[in-house]
Amino acid sequence: METAPPTIEPTQKPAINGSPRFESWGRYPTYDAALRPMHWQGDFPALLNGVYGGALAVGLGRSYGDVCLLKGGTLLPTTGMNRLLDFDAETGLLTAETGITLAQILDFAVPRGYFLPVTPGTKYVTLGGAIANDIHGKNHHVAGTFGNHVTQFELVRSDGTTRLCSPTENPDIFAATIGGMGLTGVMRWAQVRLKPIVSRLVDYQGIQFHGIDEFLALTAESQHVEYTVSWVDVASTGKNFARGIFMKGDHSNVPAPLTKSAKPKLVFPVEAPGFALNSFTVGAFNTLFFHKQMKKSVTALQDYEPFFYPLDAVLKWNRMYGKRGLLQFQYAIPWDHAREGTEAVLRAVAKSGLASFLAVLKAFGDVPSPGMMSFPKPGITLALDFPIKPDKSFPLFQRLADMVQEFGGRLYPAKDAAMTPAQFRAFYPQWEKFARYKDPGLTSSFWERVTGQEPTR
Amino acid sequence: MSENPGIPVDPSTQEPLLPLRAPAEDAPRPATAPHVPRRILVLGATSGIAETCCRIWAERGDSLFLVARNADKLAAVAADLRTRGARYVDTAVANLDDTAAHPDLLARAINSLAGLDVAFLALGILGDQPEAERSFAHAHEILHTNYTAPVSLLTWLANYCAQRHGGTLAVLSSVAGDRGRKSNYVYGSSKAGLTAFLGGLRNRIDREGVRVLTIKPGPVKTAMTEGMKGSQKFADVEAVAATIVKAIDAALGKGPDVLYVPGIWRIIMAVIRAIPEAIFKKWNL
């Protein structure tokens, strides 16, 4: 029997009847797409019936650019598919449906004495999203990426075939899916190895530094510390150039009550007007932040919530950037050019006057990721937030991306809305090999953009 | 003095309680105040509200018997509840529209749980109102699943509980049953019938020591209401479930008989019920 042609009528609605469209965290770009939420493992590929324009499973939309968007296609939000399937209290192996959030995993695991092996700066991402973007955290130099702790998952393709993937079973598909941006199929469930903790607290130390050399010295002497990350002031020049605070911490080894976290209550109430973030307010913020820590060095016992997730306390904080949204820019530059590359980028950013609040600097370690398209590589990574200024932001981004390419580095697809096809191919020369594992029924606006025709610049 | 001091007995019948079929190992559970585990039968366990309630029950270590019609979905829900720390989870795949199968199913559930403290009825379909206007077959389907099948289940369960002078029958009705509206009056009338049935049942067996709790949720964000107009503003299912669990926990004579959740719907529906039919009939609701 011949299969019926795709029906258009029932899937034609833009998002769910007038509900807000699915946005990425940067709120740029924004595209209309139909939404078909998943609640059960069996929903995929059944939900693809009558879909045209491709489909993409998405989580909480915490990636910044367009890896979680699909213009004119169908998005499959997975957060309704959030069941725990198994937990071994001896080994810490947790199996769960991939729409579960890291926040939900922590609520379950922390009272049982376990923590995420790798966590990003927000707990509001899904397990599937963490694997698909092969996220990293403050412990990359010792623990590698999230994908280093994934033991297995079940992948369903749009043709309905399923595969169990692990480092030993279908290892090539396993590698393509970790960091595969959701393009190789839909993971129904995944298993990850959690790590034991005895306390919610983190032994924290914050140390002021001036310049990249001091940052590198602090990094070198903190190799044994599990978590290290730095905030760097990108607004200042002259003697304050590249000043920052080096933050490090280890899980406390003094047993303390392992309670569940309280739910955040603050929501950023409205969209800030476009002029709210300008070079003056950002400069003032950066100076305040730097001097909030009065002393050269501060030590404290800190709960894991403010240590790992300081911004999660205010839901929807991206509204601070107003209607135009924000762009993120995150690179990794390998060690041989890391120092000069980072200084050059910081100078270019400071000079542009488009500086951002949140500039995060970290040294990546050399634990290899199992992911074929994984972003981190040994060297320095810098992440910057920019409020979008239509005329200025994109030319600056192109300049910065060219500099990163020149220094042998690459950009992070999960934080990108601007890299060109040529840049993508230079950053990820393995992309053609990866493309062979892509599910023909799935795609994303990011993928269409970076594998499509070169736009005129 | 009891003959078997080591074996717990049913307080109403003095019959020894059967040990649970598979007592769970001492699974690590979050440290909470000591909780007397309850034996809970959940009918329609894969519904969004029921599953969310079950997670609360599982986390505090209650015993659950789950009934739903889709085996894969039921297995996923059961795995989740076991992982979260339920003392005991058993399941039965059943189409609850088949009222003839109810007695065997309920007997199996009560045997499996070795008794019954709470029966939570969450079966129901929203149906398709325009389709129900065109076709009585679909209207009948809605009425059967939402009214006839619960009446059958409740008849058996009420008699079981009344005999033993204990237990709580908690049933999901809906604010939609408080007044017929053109947008969903077939669904609404099925829930109106259910609400009236529960009122009468309570009037009969509350004095026997059986609690009957009518639960009327307003619109809740679940798979059932997905895609409905304004669904992003619907109530959060976790908050709704927490309120329901608390109301079910209340002792006889202490808790509500009719629970509107979120509570604002008690006021909204009072206003809507007060509108004269002469005016109401001209509105588009």
Side-chain angles (χ1 to χ4, degrees):
Chain A
M1 204 183 94
E2 212 174 3
T3 48
T7 52
I8 292 172
E9 221 273 305
T11 61
Q12 190 61 313
K13 36 184 184 180
I16 304 181
N17 301 330
S19 65
R21 60 178 144 193
F22 189 92
E23 290 180 338
S24 67
W25 193 243
R27 308 178 78 194
Y28 176 88
T30 53
Y31 295 132
D32 279 328
L35 294 178
R36 291 190 174 190
M38 292 177 62
H39 291 272
W40 304 95
Q41 293 177 45
D43 286 352
F44 186 88
L47 274 179
L48 294 185
N49 273 336
V51 158
Y52 64 101
L56 181 69
V58 291
L60 284 168
R62 282 295 178 118
S63 47
Y64 283 75
D66 53 4
V67 288
C68 63
L69 300 177
L70 182 52
K71 186 180 185 177
T74 299
L75 296 176
L76 313 170
T78 56
T79 47
M81 195 175 77
N82 59 14
R83 295 168 193 88
L84 298 166
L85 300 178
D86 189 48
F87 179 65
D88 185 331
E90 295 295 310
T91 60
L93 280 173
L94 177 80
T95 313
E97 293 176 344
T98 49
I100 195 168
T101 67
L102 299 192
Q104 289 166 335
I105 290 178
L106 288 169
D107 280 349
F108 172 79
V110 168
R112 290 166 172 79
Y114 280 96
F115 199 76
L116 295 163
V118 165
T119 179
T122 172
K123 57 181 178 171
Y124 298 120
V125 302
T126 59
L127 176 60
I131 298 171
N133 293 295
D134 197 21
I135 56 161
H136 55 269
K138 299 173 174 56
N139 59 352
H140 183 270
H141 59 289
V142 290
T145 63
F146 196 86
N148 285 100
H149 306 272
V150 174
T151 47
Q152 54 176 327
F153 52 78
E154 186 184 40
L155 187 76
V156 196
R157 304 272 290 185
S158 58
D159 61 9
T161 57
T162 66
R163 286 174 186 82
L164 188 72
C165 301
S166 74
T168 52
E169 199 154 342
N170 293 307
D172 53 335
I173 304 173
F174 183 77
T177 301
I178 291 175
M181 300 169 284
L183 300 172
T184 60
V186 172
M187 286 173 282
R188 283 185 173 159
W189 56 262
Q191 186 184 56
V192 58
R193 191 184 297 278
L194 303 180
K195 72 164 179 212
I197 53 167
V198 295
S199 167
R200 290 178 58 93
L201 299 175
V202 174
D203 280 313
Y204 164 83
Q205 188 177 11
I207 306 162
Q208 290 181 348
F209 66 84
H210 286 84
I212 298 300
D213 288 337
E214 278 187 41
F215 162 77
L216 290 172
L218 286 165
T219 298
E221 72 188 46
S222 307
Q223 281 306 306
H224 59 285
V225 179
E226 171 146 26
Y227 301 104
T228 65
V229 71
S230 296
W231 168 85
V232 57
D233 177 357
V234 289
S236 299
T237 51
K239 71 175 172 57
N240 286 332
F241 176 68
R243 67 176 173 178
I245 295 173
F246 185 89
M247 294 171 268
K248 59 183 184 180
D250 277 305
H251 289 287
S252 167
N253 52 19
V254 181
L258 291 160
T259 50
K260 208 161 144 172
S261 296
K263 290 228 153 55
K265 295 206 167 60
L266 296 172
V267 179
F268 203 85
V270 289
E271 283 175 346
F275 59 81
L277 293 183
N278 53 45
S279 57
F280 177 75
T281 56
V282 169
F285 173 88
N286 283 353
T287 301
L288 271 175
F289 193 101
F290 186 79
H291 290 292
K292 190 182 87 170
Q293 175 171 330
M294 297 297 288
K295 294 186 219 140
K296 174 75 183 154
S297 166
V298 167
T299 57
L301 263 181
Q302 194 177 32
D303 189 76
Y304 78 76
E305 287 282 343
F307 180 76
F308 289 109
Y309 314 118
L311 291 169
D312 281 350
V314 183
L315 298 172
K316 301 193 178 174
W317 61 260
N318 54 345
R319 288 179 176 177
M320 179 173 73
Y321 287 90
K323 212 174 273 181
R324 286 194 201 123
L326 72 147
L327 287 170
Q328 264 252 346
F329 181 83
Q330 183 172 1
Y331 68 69
I333 295 181
W335 281 120
D336 47 356
H337 296 296
R339 188 182 168 284
E340 52 173 321
T342 298
E343 285 200 346
V345 170
L346 285 174
R347 280 187 207 289
V349 171
K351 197 177 144 212
S352 74
L354 298 172
S356 66
F357 280 134
L358 302 161
V360 176
L361 189 63
K362 170 159 179 66
F364 277 147
D366 52 11
V367 182
S369 164
M372 191 185 289
M373 294 289 282
S374 187
F375 159 68
K377 54 170 149 183
I380 289 183
T381 184
L382 177 71
L384 302 160
D385 277 6
F386 292 91
I388 292 180
K389 310 271 182 208
D391 305 337
K392 297 178 187 161
S393 303
F394 294 95
L396 174 69
F397 265 61
Q398 291 314 325
R399 275 206 308 285
L400 296 179
D402 287 341
M403 287 167 69
V404 169
Q405 190 179 342
E406 212 172 289
F407 290 116
R410 62 184 171 210
L411 299 183
Y412 189 7
K415 302 219 172 151
D416 180 76
M419 75 170 96
T420 65
Q423 284 164 346
F424 175 71
R425 286 162 205 193
F427 295 150
Y428 297 93
Q430 69 276 36
W431 76 277
E432 278 175 309
K433 183 184 173 203
F434 169 75
R436 292 204 289 273
Y437 293 95
K438 187 181 159 290
D439 186 322
L442 302 176
T443 190
S444 67
S445 286
F446 174 84
W447 184 255
E448 298 297 319
R449 174 163 62 85
V450 299
T451 61
Q453 292 299 306
E454 190 75 15
T456 46
R457 287 175 72 180
Chain B
M1 207 182 90
S2 172
E3 287 173 21
N4 299 312
I7 299 171
V9 293
D10 186 323
S12 55
T13 62
Q14 296 302 309
E15 288 164 6
L17 288 173
L18 297 171
L20 296 179
R21 208 188 267 165
E25 298 294 320
D26 279 354
R29 272 196 296 278
T32 48
H35 167 72
V36 182
R38 310 189 95 190
R39 297 160 295 183
I40 304 172
L41 166 63
V42 185
L43 297 150
T46 55
S47 91
I49 292 178
E51 186 183 3
T52 314
C53 290
C54 284
R55 288 186 181 182
I56 300 173
W57 289 323
E59 272 163 21
R60 68 187 197 188
D62 289 334
S63 297
L64 300 164
F65 190 96
L66 314 173
V67 182
R69 82 176 89 184
N70 182 305
D72 290 341
K73 294 179 181 180
L74 187 57
V77 171
D80 178 65
L81 301 176
R82 285 190 187 103
T83 306
R84 285 174 195 275
R87 170 171 298 249
Y88 172 77
V89 179
D90 194 5
T91 62
V93 177
N95 183 347
L96 291 170
D97 285 346
D98 180 7
T99 53
H102 286 176
D104 284 350
L105 176 74
L106 295 175
R108 184 180 151 195
I110 290 169
N111 279 333
S112 177
L113 289 170
L116 184 70
D117 298 310
V118 176
F120 185 49
L121 279 73
L123 56 155
I125 54 170
L126 196 54
D128 178 345
Q129 172 69 25
E131 173 66 17
E133 289 166 16
R134 285 191 295 272
S135 134
F136 171 69
H138 185 55
H140 188 237
E141 209 178 344
I142 297 171
L143 295 175
H144 186 85
T145 302
N146 293 356
Y147 178 72
T148 311
V151 166
S152 163
L153 292 163
L154 285 164
T155 301
W156 294 100
L157 288 166
N159 293 338
Y160 172 86
C161 290
Q163 258 178 20
R164 283 157 186 77
H165 304 286
T168 296
L169 304 176
V171 185
L172 278 190
S173 185
S174 170
V175 295
D178 281 14
R179 188 150 197 181
R181 298 174 299 131
K182 74 175 193 179
S183 59
N184 71 349
Y185 63 83
V186 179
Y187 173 82
S189 66
S190 71
K191 293 297 193 181
L194 184 59
T195 298
F197 179 87
L198 291 169
L201 185 66
R202 180 182 304 112
N203 189 215
R204 180 190 130 209
I205 62 172
D206 185 78
R207 65 196 67 186
E208 306 288 342
V210 184
R211 256 192 93 204
V212 177
L213 175 63
T214 308
I215 303 162
K216 295 185 180 177
V220 181
K221 255 184 265 175
T222 63
M224 187 173 90
T225 58
E226 214 158 62
M228 283 170 66
K229 199 173 152 190
S231 60
Q232 76 275 13
K233 291 192 180 128
F234 288 1
D236 174 49
V237 68
E238 284 176 26
V240 166
T243 307
I244 290 173
V245 165
K246 193 169 163 232
I248 291 175
D249 278 345
L252 185 71
K254 295 273 171 68
D257 296 314
V258 178
L259 176 74
Y260 283 84
V261 53
I264 184 75
W265 284 92
R266 182 179 292 277
I267 297 160
I268 296 172
M269 294 319 293
V271 172
I272 287 182
R273 275 197 312 272
I275 298 163
E277 196 65 26
I279 297 169
F280 194 82
K281 71 181 179 190
K282 296 195 179 0
W283 285 7
N284 289 314
L285 280 169

